[in-house]
Amino acid sequence: MRQFLKYSKQGLLGIFILSCSYLSAQPNTTIELTKPEKYQSRLLPAEKSGNKKFTIPKRIYNNTVSHYNYYYNASVKLNDIILAAKNQYKEDYTELLPFYNYSLDETAKGQIDSVIYKCTAGILLHDLRSDWVDQLYLLMGNAYMHRKDFDSAALVFNYINYAFAAKDEGYDLPIGSNLSSKGGAFSISTDEKRNFWRKISSPKPARNESFLFQSRNFIEQEKLAEAEALLQILAADKFFPERLKTTWNEYTAYLLYKEKQYDSAAFYLSKALPNAHSKLETARWEYLIAQMYSLSNQDSLSVVWYEKAITHTPDPLMDVYARLNIVSLSSEKKANAVNFHLLQLLAMAKKEKYQGYRDLIYYAAAEIEIRQNNLNNAENWLNKSINYSEENNSQKSKSYFLLAETLYKNKKYISASAAYDSLSISLLNTAESNTVNQKKAPLNRIALALKSVNREDSLQKIALLPETERDALLKALLKKLRKEKGIKESDTETSFGLSGSIAAPTDLFAPPTGNTGFYFTNNSLKTKGLADFKAKWGNRPNIDNWRRQSAIDRNVGAMAIDNDQKPNNTKSAQNTVLSLETLKDSIPLTIEKLAISNDTILNSLILSAGIFQYQLRDVLAATETYEEIAKRFAESSALEEVWFQLHNSYSKQNQFKKADSVKQLLNAFYPKGKNNQLLQSGVNLKEAETNQLYAHIYNQFIEGKFEEAIANKKKADIQLGSSYWTPQLLYIESVYYIKQKQDSTAKNRLNEISRLFPASPIAEKAKTMLEVLSKRAEIEAYLTNLTIERPVEVVERKIDLNTTNAQDLPIVSKAPTVVKVPEKVIPSLPITAAPVEKPTLPESYDFNATDSQYVAIALYKVDPIFVSEARNAFNRFNQERYYGQKLPINVIRVNDTEQILLIGPFINAAEASTYTDKNKSLAASRIMPWLTTDKYSFSIISPKNLTLLRKKGETTTYWQLVRNLFPDKY
C-alpha cells in the first residue's frame, strides 16, 4: 500500500484511463422520440448514439455526468420522498404493524414527478452507451411504482429485462432457453462476474434488481400469483447474485405477509433484517416478526423477538407495548416474567428520557396489574397516568375508560360512574365507545341510588350514638361544614357551649410588635395571616363579593342528597339554614323517620339491583344486591319480589340449589302470591306481559301517538332495559326522530339495531339509513338549490323539396296561426237547460278478471309518517326488481283508521295476482320488515270498484268479496 501511494497523480490517471479501455458499452439500447415539427431536424445526444466512436474521454464524461448530475440527485430525491412519508406515518402497536412503515399513498403525493423527469433527462441527454443508463431506467421504474403508476413501472422493468439481457453479436437470445443457458443450467439472471477494472469503474447490472422490483410491483397490485412465480424462478436460478438474496427474502416475506402466512413471513423477514435502514426500522421489523409468530401460536418465538425489539428500539412506545405483549404471552414456564416487566416499566417511568411517556407507561403497568387481578394497584397506576396526561387527551380518555372498568370490576360503582363522566367518548375506539354508551347512563343512576344508601346508613349510625357523643359529633361536623361553605359563626355558636371568654378579633395588618418589617415582605406574617383568614372566613373563592352571604348561599343547596327523584321544592333547599338544629332534624331519631330512611335504602337497592339485572346484565352484581336486600329487610313486603328476582338470578348463574331454596321460601311464605304461582306453574308470564307492553308501545308509535309512546318506552326501559326491544320498534322510533330532525337520537337507535340484531333484515336497512343520515345536510342543500328548467323547444328547419341542391336555409320560428271565423247571426231563441244525466254507480261490487287491477296494500292504524316510509320502500323495491316497468304508487285515505297503497294498474287480475304472489312474502322480510304483518294486508282492486269503495268509505265488504273469490291468496 505504501509503495502504491508513492505513485504520482499522473501515474494513477494513466492506470484509470487504461482500465476504461477494457470496458464495453451497454448494448442495443435505442431511443425513438416523437418531436414537434420545428425540432425534427435537431437530435438529442441519445439519438446520436452510435454515430461516432465512443472514445475513452467521451465515456468518462458521460459516466461522470450521468452518475453525479442525474442519477445521484434523482435517487436522493426519491429517498427524501420516502423518508418524508415515513415521518408522516404513525404506528399503532396495538394492531398488526404494516410491512413497511410508510404508505404509497403518501409517496404518490410528493414531488415524485421530478425524479422521473431527472431520470428521463439523464437518459436522453447522454450517450446510450453510458454505463448508467440501466441504473437510470431502474430508478425510473422504482419512482413509477412509488407514484402508484404500476402499469408504467411494469413496462420499464420489462424493458430492462429484454434490452439489457445477454446478446449474441447484437441479436436477442430467448430468455430462459437452451441458447441462454449457462453450463447446462437454465437461468434468467445476468451473470455479474466481471474483471477487476470493470468492477471498480462501473455499477453492477440493474437487470437482476429489476426482477425483484417487478415482484414487489406485482405484490402492490395484489397480483400475488405472478409475484410468487417470479420469486420462485429467481430462487431456483443458481446464477442469481448472492448480494440480492437479502432483498429476495424481504419481498418473499412481504408476499407471505399479504397471503397471511405469518409463520413463513416471519421466518423470511428475520433473514431480511440487514435491509433495514435504521436501528428503529430493525426493531420495528423484529416487533412485526414477534407479532406474526404470536398470530401463528408460536408464543416462545414471539417472546424472543419481542425481547430483541426491546433491546434495539429507541422508541419508548414500542418498548412499552413489547413488554405488555410479553406479559400477555408469558406462561408458567417463566412465572416471574410478569413482575419482571412490571418493574422494568416502573423503572422506565423514573428515567428522564421517558418523562413524556409516563402516562402510557403507568397505563401499561395498570394493564399488567389487571391481568394479575391486582385491581387496587391498577387504580393507583391509572390515576398516575391521568395526572401525567396533561396534553395527550386521547391517552387520558383511555386511562379514564380503563379506570372506570377497573372500578366497576372492583365494585366501586360511584367512583366508576365519575370516571365515565370524565372521559371524552369521541377519543375512544368503536368498542370502547359502545361500552360507554351502554354503561354510563345506568351506572349514573346506580351511583345516585348508592349515594342515598350511604347517606341513610351514616345518619342511622349517628342516631345510634349516645346523645353526648352525637352532639359533639354534630358540633364538629357543623363547624367543618361552615368552614367549607365560608359561613361566619354566630357569637352564640362560636364556642359551642364551652366556657371561657371569646378572643377579640386580631387585626391582620396591625403594626408589628417587633422589628419584623413590612407585612407583605415578611413570609412568616403572610403565612400567619392566611391561616387566620381561613380560620375566620373559610376557603372563600377568589371572586368579587366574596364576603356576601348571598353568594355563599347559592352552594348551600348542595347539602341536598342526590336522589333519583328531583327535589320538589328548590327554593326551600336553597334557603336551608346550616345550623345544629337542621343537622339534628335530618337524623332518624324517631320511628317515623327511621321507617322513611329504611324505605329510601330499600327502594334505592331495589332500583340498583334492577338496573344491574336488566340494563347492565350483570347478574352477579344483581344477585349480591338482592341478597343484601333479603338480609337487611327480612320482614319487608317487597321480599316476595326480591326472592322472585333472586331465583331468576341464581338460575342464570346455574346455581340451581340456591334457586330451589328461594323457590321453597316463596312457596312457604307467599303461597298465593303471583310470583310463586308463576314459578310453580313454570310459565314465564312476566316475559309475556313485558313483550305485550313493548308491542303496545310499538302500536302507539305506528298509530302516531308519539308522545305517549315515548313516555311509556322511557318508563319501560328504566325497569327492563333493552332486553325486550325489537328491531321493528327501534326502526320506527328512529324514523320518527328523523322526521323530528333529532338525528343524534335516530343514529343511536339505528346503531342499536346493528348491535342487538345483526342478523335481522332490518339491520341492513338501518345501515343504509345511517349512511343517508350522515349526508342529510348535503342532500337537503342539493334539493333546496336544485332548479329544474323546461327544455327549449326544437325549432323546425324549412326544407325545399323541389330542388336537390342542399342549401342552408334560415331557421324560422313558427308563428301562431290565427283563424278568423266569420260572424254568424244567430236567431234569438229562448234558452232552455239541457237535461243532465246523473251518473249512476252500482251499489254492489262487481269483479271482472279482465279489468285492469291495482295491487292494493291496506294499512291499518298507521301514521302518515310510516305510510310514506312504506311507499318509499315499495318504490325502491320496484325499481330494483321491475326496473323495466313503470309501476306508479299512490296512497288514498279511506277513513280515519285505514289507508291503501295502490301499485299499478296492471293489465288484468292475473298480472296483479302474479305480483302479489311473488312479493307478499318479501314484504315482511325485505321490503318493510319494520311493519308487523297485522298492520297490513294484500289484495287487488279494479278502478271501478275503487271508486265505489271510496264512496262507501269502508273496506270490509270488498275485502270479504276478494277472500271469498280467492281464499288461498288473500
Side-chain angles (χ1 to χ4, degrees):
M1 177 63 70
R2 291 178 181 176
Q3 293 177 351
F4 181 77
L5 292 176
K6 291 179 181 178
Y7 288 116
S8 63
K9 294 181 180 180
Q10 290 81 1
L12 291 175
L13 180 61
I15 294 173
F16 177 73
I17 294 173
L18 182 63
S19 67
C20 293
S21 64
Y22 291 96
L23 302 181
S24 61
Q26 298 189 6
N28 301 315
T29 52
T30 59
I31 291 292
E32 294 182 4
L33 294 176
T34 302
K35 294 183 289 186
E37 186 176 353
K38 63 179 181 178
Y39 295 112
Q40 289 291 337
S41 59
R42 299 181 62 179
L43 297 178
L44 292 170
E47 295 176 290
K48 297 178 184 178
S49 299
N51 293 348
K52 293 183 180 180
K53 187 176 181 181
F54 199 49
T55 61
I56 293 175
K58 185 181 290 188
R59 182 189 300 277
I60 295 172
Y61 169 78
N62 278 272
N63 284 350
T64 304
V65 176
S66 298
H67 181 194
Y68 294 105
N69 282 15
Y70 291 91
Y71 179 82
Y72 174 79
N73 291 331
S75 61
V76 168
K77 184 67 175 179
L78 180 59
N79 290 335
D80 288 343
I81 291 171
I82 296 174
L83 182 61
K86 290 178 179 179
N87 293 333
Q88 289 279 339
Y89 194 79
K90 186 177 181 181
E91 301 284 7
D92 183 2
Y93 294 107
T94 62
E95 302 291 338
L96 179 67
L97 295 181
F99 194 86
Y100 292 106
N101 58 338
Y102 66 93
S103 170
L104 293 186
D105 294 328
E106 285 296 325
T107 58
K109 294 177 184 177
Q111 300 176 353
I112 202 162
D113 289 342
S114 63
V115 178
I116 299 172
Y117 174 81
K118 276 280 185 184
C119 292
T120 305
I123 294 170
L124 296 178
L125 299 180
H126 301 92
D127 197 299
L128 295 180
R129 292 169 290 185
S130 165
D131 295 322
W132 288 90
V133 173
D134 60 340
Q135 296 293 334
L136 287 167
Y137 274 117
L138 184 67
L139 187 58
M140 181 191 296
N142 195 13
Y144 274 125
M145 183 176 67
H146 282 82
R147 199 178 71 170
K148 297 186 72 173
D149 192 350
F150 301 121
D151 292 339
S152 298
L155 290 174
V156 173
F157 295 139
N158 285 338
Y159 177 76
I160 297 173
N161 178 23
Y162 291 105
F164 297 96
K167 309 293 179 182
D168 183 12
E169 296 182 358
Y171 291 97
D172 292 332
L173 294 175
I175 298 173
S177 66
N178 289 330
L179 294 175
S180 62
S181 63
K182 304 167 186 176
F186 291 102
S187 174
I188 65 170
S189 59
T190 299
D191 190 1
E192 294 188 355
K193 291 182 179 180
R194 300 175 298 167
N195 58 47
F196 172 76
W197 300 113
R198 191 163 184 179
K199 284 182 180 180
I200 65 174
S201 62
S202 62
K204 292 182 172 63
R207 183 169 173 271
N208 293 325
E209 291 176 79
S210 71
F211 292 131
L212 295 174
F213 279 118
Q214 184 73 284
S215 67
R216 182 181 174 185
N217 194 48
F218 284 141
I219 296 171
E220 297 295 351
Q221 298 177 80
E222 299 295 332
K223 296 180 178 180
L224 304 183
E226 290 88 337
E228 184 174 2
L230 180 55
L231 289 171
Q232 290 300 321
I233 290 173
L234 294 176
D237 192 335
K238 59 189 291 187
F239 294 101
F240 188 70
E242 190 69 26
R243 68 182 180 89
L244 297 178
K245 289 292 179 66
T246 304
T247 307
W248 182 92
N249 287 324
E250 177 186 337
Y251 291 157
T252 302
Y254 189 25
L255 171 67
L256 294 168
Y257 174 89
K258 286 284 190 177
E259 293 176 341
K260 297 184 178 180
Q261 300 182 34
Y262 294 123
D263 52 346
S264 300
F267 172 78
Y268 284 106
L269 184 56
S270 65
K271 294 185 173 185
L273 289 178
N275 270 11
H277 296 93
S278 65
K279 192 174 181 181
L280 175 61
E281 290 188 7
T282 301
R284 183 186 178 279
W285 268 350
E286 289 171 342
Y287 189 96
L288 177 58
I289 292 170
Q291 286 182 313
M292 291 192 289
Y293 275 130
S294 177
L295 290 173
S296 304
N297 297 319
Q298 300 185 42
D299 294 346
S300 57
L301 283 174
S302 179
V303 170
V304 170
W305 284 100
Y306 275 130
E307 289 175 344
K308 288 184 178 181
I310 292 172
T311 304
H312 297 145
T313 181
D315 184 4
L317 288 176
M318 187 189 297
D319 192 326
V320 170
Y321 281 109
R323 294 182 188 279
L324 272 177
N325 291 326
I326 290 174
V327 169
S328 64
L329 294 171
S330 296
S331 60
E332 296 178 356
K333 296 178 181 178
K334 195 174 181 181
N336 61 342
V338 175
N339 290 328
F340 170 77
H341 287 286
L342 176 61
L343 293 175
Q344 290 293 318
L345 283 172
L346 297 179
M348 287 169 59
K350 297 177 181 179
K351 295 179 181 179
E352 184 177 356
K353 77 177 205 175
Y354 296 117
Q355 285 187 358
Y357 301 94
R358 283 184 292 187
D359 53 350
L360 176 62
I361 292 172
Y362 286 125
Y363 178 86
E367 286 190 321
I368 294 174
E369 294 285 15
I370 290 171
R371 288 191 178 99
Q372 299 183 92
N373 206 30
N374 297 329
L375 301 182
N376 292 329
N377 290 343
E379 291 175 27
N380 178 40
W381 301 131
L382 286 170
N383 283 321
K384 284 193 173 185
S385 174
I386 292 167
N387 291 335
Y388 287 114
S389 298
E390 297 176 356
E391 298 180 357
N392 191 350
N393 292 327
S394 177
Q395 181 58 52
K396 179 177 283 190
S397 291
K398 289 178 68 69
S399 298
Y400 268 123
F401 174 78
L402 188 58
L403 178 61
E405 292 290 289
T406 304
L407 291 167
Y408 182 90
K409 198 174 182 180
N410 211 14
K411 301 176 183 177
K412 299 178 180 179
Y413 303 114
I414 297 175
S415 300
S417 175
Y420 277 129
D421 288 336
S422 301
L423 58 82
S424 176
I425 195 170
S426 61
L427 299 176
L428 303 178
N429 59 37
T430 304
E432 293 168 343
S433 299
N434 291 337
T435 302
V436 175
N437 287 330
Q438 184 181 0
K439 284 187 175 182
K440 183 178 178 180
L443 197 58
N444 283 341
R445 300 182 66 248
I446 290 174
L448 291 173
L450 293 181
K451 285 179 183 178
S452 296
V453 172
N454 294 341
R455 178 182 184 276
E456 296 301 328
D457 284 340
S458 299
L459 292 176
Q460 288 186 19
K461 288 181 180 179
I462 294 175
L464 295 175
L465 293 174
E467 185 176 0
T468 54
E469 294 183 19
R470 184 168 61 245
D471 289 344
L473 177 63
L474 291 178
K475 289 174 182 178
L477 180 61
L478 178 63
K479 183 176 181 181
K480 179 181 178 182
L481 291 175
R482 282 181 173 275
K483 190 173 182 180
E484 289 177 353
K485 301 299 178 184
I487 302 176
K488 184 179 179 180
E489 298 175 359
S490 62
D491 294 340
T492 57
E493 293 180 350
T494 301
S495 62
F496 297 112
L498 297 177
S499 60
S501 60
I502 300 174
T506 58
D507 185 2
L508 296 178
F509 303 100
T513 55
N515 187 16
T516 56
F518 184 54
Y519 173 83
F520 289 105
T521 60
N522 191 315
N523 290 330
S524 61
L525 283 179
K526 286 197 296 182
T527 304
K528 182 177 182 300
L530 179 62
D532 291 342
F533 179 88
K534 288 184 177 181
K536 182 174 183 179
W537 299 103
N539 290 322
R540 293 294 175 111
N542 187 18
I543 57 175
D544 293 337
N545 300 325
W546 62 269
R547 197 171 173 180
R548 290 183 180 272
Q549 186 64 41
S550 59
I552 303 301
D553 289 341
R554 295 192 188 101
N555 296 325
V556 175
M559 283 286 295
I561 302 300
D562 292 329
N563 207 332
D564 193 46
Q565 299 178 350
K566 294 181 179 180
N568 295 325
N569 193 346
T570 308
K571 291 184 179 179
S572 61
Q574 290 182 353
N575 296 329
T576 302
V577 179
L578 191 59
S579 64
L580 192 62
E581 288 72 18
T582 56
L583 292 180
K584 284 184 177 181
D585 188 57
S586 62
I587 298 174
L589 296 173
T590 63
I591 297 176
E592 293 79 7
K593 289 184 177 181
L594 183 61
I596 294 173
S597 177
N598 284 328
D599 286 343
T600 302
I601 295 173
L602 176 61
N603 294 332
S604 299
L605 289 175
I606 290 176
L607 176 65
S608 300
I611 295 173
F612 279 129
Q613 186 173 6
Y614 293 109
Q615 295 190 31
L616 296 177
R617 301 188 181 184
D618 188 345
V619 182
L620 181 60
T623 302
E624 293 174 350
T625 310
Y626 284 130
E627 288 175 343
E628 182 182 355
I629 297 171
K631 183 177 180 181
R632 292 185 62 172
F633 302 96
E635 298 180 359
S636 172
S637 59
L639 199 59
E640 179 187 3
E641 180 67 21
V642 171
W643 279 345
F644 176 76
Q645 298 295 346
L646 193 57
H647 173 272
N648 292 339
S649 299
Y650 283 142
S651 299
K652 288 180 180 179
Q653 298 177 81
N654 297 327
Q655 298 182 14
F656 299 112
K657 290 185 178 180
K658 291 185 177 181
D660 290 339
S661 64
V662 174
K663 184 177 180 181
Q664 292 174 5
L665 287 173
L666 267 175
N667 193 33
F669 288 91
Y670 302 97
K672 297 182 179 180
K674 177 182 176 181
N675 292 326
N676 180 58
Q677 293 178 1
L678 182 63
L679 288 179
Q680 300 303 327
S681 63
V683 179
N684 194 350
L685 296 178
K686 186 175 182 64
E687 184 172 353
E689 292 175 0
T690 305
N691 289 332
Q692 186 177 1
L693 171 62
Y694 276 101
H696 176 64
I697 295 171
Y698 169 83
N699 287 328
Q700 285 180 324
F701 266 113
I702 286 292
E703 294 169 12
K705 302 174 183 178
F706 300 117
E707 301 300 329
E708 297 177 24
I710 291 172
N712 290 333
K713 187 171 181 296
K714 285 182 178 178
K715 291 179 182 178
D717 289 348
I718 288 174
Q719 296 181 354
L720 303 170
S722 60
S723 303
Y724 297 91
W725 285 356
T726 62
Q728 292 88 350
L729 174 61
L730 292 171
Y731 188 84
I732 61 161
E733 190 180 2
S734 68
V735 171
Y736 164 73
Y737 285 122
I738 291 171
K739 296 292 183 181
Q740 298 298 320
K741 293 193 175 182
Q742 300 180 23
D743 291 356
S744 59
T745 308
K747 288 179 181 178
N748 178 269
R749 298 297 184 271
L750 293 170
N751 284 321
E752 287 294 327
I753 294 176
S754 301
R755 186 177 67 85
L756 297 174
F757 311 100
S760 171
I762 300 182
E764 187 64 28
K765 292 185 175 292
K767 182 180 178 181
T768 304
M769 185 76 79
L770 276 171
E771 293 175 356
V772 175
L773 201 56
S774 63
K775 301 178 181 178
R776 178 172 186 159
E778 181 182 343
I779 294 171
E780 290 180 348
Y782 170 76
L783 294 176
T784 302
N785 300 325
L786 182 63
T787 56
I788 301 176
E789 297 181 359
R790 185 176 179 179
V792 180
E793 293 185 5
V794 178
V795 182
E796 294 183 2
R797 185 185 298 272
K798 281 191 173 183
I799 303 175
D800 187 358
L801 299 178
N802 297 322
T803 178
T804 57
N805 297 326
Q807 296 180 0
D808 292 334
L809 299 177
I811 299 173
V812 180
S813 300
K814 277 188 174 182
T817 304
V818 180
V819 180
K820 293 185 178 181
V821 181
E823 296 182 0
K824 185 178 180 181
V825 180
I826 301 174
S828 178
L829 295 174
I831 300 173
T832 57
V836 178
E837 293 183 3
K838 295 183 179 179
T840 57
L841 294 172
E843 295 300 327
S844 60
Y845 296 104
D846 180 23
F847 184 83
N848 188 346
T850 60
D851 290 343
S852 61
Q853 301 283 337
Y854 290 100
V855 171
I857 304 168
L859 302 170
Y860 307 103
K861 293 184 178 181
V862 178
D863 187 80
I865 290 177
F866 305 111
V867 173
S868 176
E869 186 66 21
R871 176 182 176 179
N872 294 336
F874 270 99
N875 192 27
R876 288 190 296 268
F877 174 78
N878 289 339
Q879 288 176 356
E880 294 175 3
R881 185 63 63 89
Y882 302 95
Y883 55 87
Q885 303 180 33
K886 291 184 178 180
L887 296 177
I889 302 178
N890 297 295
V891 178
I892 64 168
R893 177 178 288 277
V894 181
N895 49 50
D896 293 338
T897 61
E898 191 170 357
Q899 299 179 71
I900 300 178
L901 209 65
L902 295 172
I903 303 176
F906 294 83
I907 298 173
N908 51 39
E911 293 287 337
S913 295
T914 301
Y915 181 92
T916 59
D917 291 343
K918 287 183 177 180
N919 304 319
K920 185 177 180 181
S921 59
L922 296 176
S925 62
R926 176 180 173 182
I927 304 173
M928 47 181 189
W930 42 269
L931 199 60
T932 54
T933 54
D934 61 324
K935 286 294 179 182
Y936 63 89
S937 64
F938 278 78
S939 185
I940 59 175
I941 188 169
S942 66
K944 183 171 62 175
N945 287 333
L946 178 62
T947 304
L948 179 58
L949 183 143
R950 298 186 69 174
K951 178 183 177 183
K952 290 186 174 184
E954 62 87 23
T955 60
T956 306
T957 306
Y958 180 78
W959 298 151
Q960 189 60 46
L961 170 67
V962 176
R963 293 189 188 100
N964 292 338
L965 292 172
F966 307 99
D968 297 333
K969 290 181 179 291
Y970 307 111

